[in-house]
Amino acid sequence: MPGTTAPAAPRTPMTKKSLMITASSVVGVAALTVGGFAATSFLSGGGAQPEDVLPANTLAFVKVDMDPAAGQKVNLYKLSKKFEDVEVSSEDSIKDDLLEPLFADSLDGIDYDKDIKPWLGDRAALAAIPDGQDSVTPVMVVEFTDEEKMQAGLEKVEASAASDLETDPPSAEEIDDVAWAVSGDYVVIAEDQKIADEVAGTEQVLAADADYQGDIEALGGDQIVTAWADVEATYDAMPEDVTADLLDLYDVDTDAADPIKFEPTGSLVMGINAQSDHIEFVTKALDLSTGIEQPASVPGTGLVNEFPADTVAAVSVSGLGEAAVSLYDSLAESGAVTDEMLAEAEGRLDLDLPDDLRAILGTDLAAGATMSPGDPEDLTVFGKVRTADAARVLSLIETLVGETGAAADDVYAEARADHYVAGSSADALALAEAGGLGGNERFRKVVADASTASAVGFVDIGRLFDELVTAEEDPDRGFAPLDAFGFSVSGDAESSTFTARLSLR
């Protein structure tokens, strides 16, 4: 049970290349490897979770379940078999098949089957927690099945890591305090014994926090890797140089008479999961705010769906015009845009700022490309923008072309009643309104909520690869299993969802 702590056995000094780094590698690389086939959300398997051990004041963490629920194991196994270099013998051996080569390649003298497998459990997490001294410390919790074998295994890992030092015995600069303690079925690994003991003995755990529970429920689904962060608490714990960079990013003048208050709040929760034919990565921003007014998020209209079915790459963004105007206003207020710069732009280019930014970028903007069969380098690029003043934009384009010295015939753009189209050729203009991408099976599989998302991206990896195979004598076969990649963003500035999917053939 959380809170029960076994005395730590006497050990030799840990080193900077020792247990904490090695244990982090186990969890981190396992998360990345398993996450290569699925990721981020709530794990549905039974038994204690890492958050049942981690303290309630945890700032952020990432956890991995190396033995997920039955449906996820089946999907992981099927997806892994599509890659020739990944050797997984069965659904039940995923954890061991993925971890064994990692230990074989990284630690001398460590036999995974003898030293790690006999005690390693299915779950682990790497967390950031306050250390009580206005700083943050990393803590790892790893599930074990046999405490005695766990102690022996970790001591052997420690000895292996220490043997990789440049001096023998290790110098004072190389020695680092790292310790562990036991909490229920988890070993808590920290940079000093006090922290390890405090975490192992904590009574207020993260799993009991109502806000954390709500965040995980919002993510939903059966996930393999989960990451979570309390944005406000994490920001408050950041070093001053990092927070200063964030203030610069948002152009916050802390010396102003009435400075803008940068006060991040809310939380982030991320996850990866494996479906039968694709991997899904989901990130949710929940009640997220910086204290600085942001442009309102605009629901999408599915503009990218109007592109041709054979589009190999496409991207669309809604509300870009208003966002650009807001950015311009902020820059002008801060002095980044001067009256002299404004006068030059208005004089030479006949621009009416910031209103022309709204017209050019519009309420919806989409761009895409197709390729000629057998010639992957022959791309046709096209775009479509919904705007209230398409004729004005066309006039601006002609002015800009004149400034560059290009011939008018080299510019392909036409104005419509409520939008304008542009492209790399005269034929490209028609492609911008050909229709069909919304019915493309690859597109529909990897792009969530394409008709309403405020931002959408798509790449037909399978077709690109097939064209490269045709064009090259010895193409890289590493991309052969990949089918398509897509992403979408929906929601508003405070509560949004980013979904990315990678499908396999």
Side-chain angles (χ1 to χ4, degrees):
M1 294 294 293
T4 60
T5 306
R11 297 181 296 279
T12 56
M14 293 294 294
T15 65
K16 294 182 183 297
K17 290 186 177 181
S18 59
L19 182 59
M20 194 63 180
I21 296 175
T22 303
S24 297
S25 299
V26 174
V27 175
V29 179
L32 291 174
T33 305
V34 177
F37 307 118
T40 321
S41 180
F42 187 73
L43 308 177
S44 62
Q49 295 287 338
E51 55 265 47
D52 293 315
V53 176
L54 292 170
N57 65 346
T58 296
L59 304 175
F61 81 93
V62 57
K63 68 175 179 178
V64 61
D65 190 335
M66 293 175 282
D67 185 23
Q72 290 286 297
K73 290 176 65 175
V74 171
N75 291 337
L76 278 176
Y77 175 70
K78 289 180 177 179
L79 294 178
S80 69
K81 298 303 290 183
K82 296 178 182 291
F83 294 87
E84 295 180 358
D85 295 336
V86 178
E87 298 181 3
V88 177
S89 57
S90 71
E91 297 168 10
D92 295 326
S93 68
I94 293 175
K95 176 181 72 176
D96 296 329
D97 289 338
L98 293 178
L99 289 182
E100 191 279 332
L102 297 179
F103 280 89
D105 295 338
S106 61
L107 289 173
D108 293 334
I110 298 298
D111 186 316
Y112 176 79
D113 289 332
K114 294 180 180 179
D115 302 321
I116 306 299
K117 181 178 178 180
W119 62 268
L120 184 64
D122 297 327
R123 302 181 180 98
L126 182 62
I129 66 170
D131 66 356
Q133 300 177 354
D134 296 327
S135 186
V136 177
T137 185
V139 169
M140 178 165 294
V141 293
V142 181
E143 187 181 31
F144 63 83
T145 57
D146 186 303
E147 184 172 349
E148 183 177 346
K149 293 178 180 179
M150 177 271 293
Q151 291 274 8
L154 291 184
E155 289 172 358
K156 189 168 183 180
V157 169
E158 174 184 1
S160 173
S163 67
D164 190 31
L165 296 173
E166 295 181 358
T167 60
D168 187 16
S171 64
E173 290 77 13
E174 291 175 312
I175 294 177
D176 194 26
D177 292 328
V178 179
W180 66 78
V182 171
S183 177
D185 293 332
Y186 282 83
V187 55
V188 179
I189 305 170
E191 291 186 340
D192 64 59
Q193 194 62 49
K194 180 182 178 182
I195 293 175
D197 290 339
E198 287 178 351
V199 173
T202 188
E203 295 182 359
Q204 302 296 322
V205 296
L206 181 62
D209 184 86
D211 291 335
Y212 170 78
Q213 293 175 359
D215 293 343
I216 295 300
E217 289 174 2
L219 184 60
D222 177 27
Q223 312 290 334
I224 296 173
V225 179
T226 304
W228 172 88
D230 181 329
V231 174
E232 181 177 2
T234 300
Y235 177 77
D236 290 341
M238 286 180 178
E240 290 186 4
D241 58 338
V242 176
T243 58
D245 290 340
L246 285 173
L247 294 175
D248 289 341
L249 179 65
Y250 281 89
D251 197 31
V252 176
D253 183 4
T254 56
D255 296 326
D258 185 20
I260 298 173
K261 292 183 178 180
F262 187 73
E263 300 174 332
T265 61
S267 57
L268 291 171
V269 61
M270 296 164 278
I272 305 170
N273 63 80
Q275 302 301 315
S276 60
D277 57 0
H278 70 270
I279 302 156
E280 182 180 72
F281 174 88
V282 180
T283 299
K284 286 184 175 289
L286 304 171
D287 298 322
L288 192 65
S289 174
T290 62
I292 300 175
E293 185 177 355
Q294 301 291 316
S297 179
V298 179
T301 58
L303 191 63
V304 73
N305 292 338
E306 301 174 15
F307 285 171
D310 63 348
T311 298
V312 294
V315 62
S316 71
V317 182
S318 297
L320 199 55
E322 288 299 332
V325 171
S326 295
L327 177 60
Y328 174 89
D329 289 340
S330 297
L331 293 174
E333 184 177 348
S334 68
V337 176
T338 65
D339 292 340
E340 291 77 9
M341 295 168 59
L342 182 61
E344 182 179 0
E346 291 180 338
R348 290 184 57 194
L349 304 179
D350 192 30
L351 286 172
D352 181 14
L353 297 175
D355 290 339
D356 280 340
L357 292 175
R358 184 184 290 110
I360 294 170
L361 299 176
T363 58
D364 291 276
L365 180 153
T370 61
M371 65 167 57
S372 299
D375 187 359
E377 295 184 0
D378 184 15
L379 291 176
T380 299
V381 181
F382 46 86
K384 180 177 181 179
V385 180
R386 285 205 174 100
T387 180
D389 200 348
R392 167 65 176 166
V393 174
L394 206 63
S395 174
L396 290 172
I397 291 175
E398 292 173 352
T399 301
L400 290 171
V401 170
E403 282 291 320
T404 62
D409 293 342
D410 293 336
V411 179
Y412 303 96
E414 293 180 359
R416 305 282 193 266
D418 62 349
H419 67 276
Y420 68 91
V421 292
S424 57
S425 66
D427 294 337
L429 302 183
L431 294 179
E433 303 176 289
L437 184 58
N440 181 304
E441 182 179 353
R442 282 175 170 164
F443 176 82
R444 296 177 63 181
K445 184 186 299 182
V446 298
V447 178
D449 306 317
S451 297
T452 57
S454 57
V456 165
F458 168 71
V459 180
D460 191 336
I461 302 174
R463 181 162 173 227
L464 287 171
F465 177 80
D466 291 343
E467 293 289 349
L468 289 173
V469 168
T470 302
E472 297 184 14
E473 295 182 0
D474 186 22
D476 183 355
R477 299 276 174 179
F479 293 98
L482 305 184
D483 186 42
F485 171 78
F487 71 84
S488 63
V489 180
S490 57
D492 54 41
E494 293 188 353
S495 296
S496 61
T497 300
F498 171 84
T499 303
R501 294 172 179 166
L502 178 66
S503 62
L504 304 180
R505 301 197 264 191

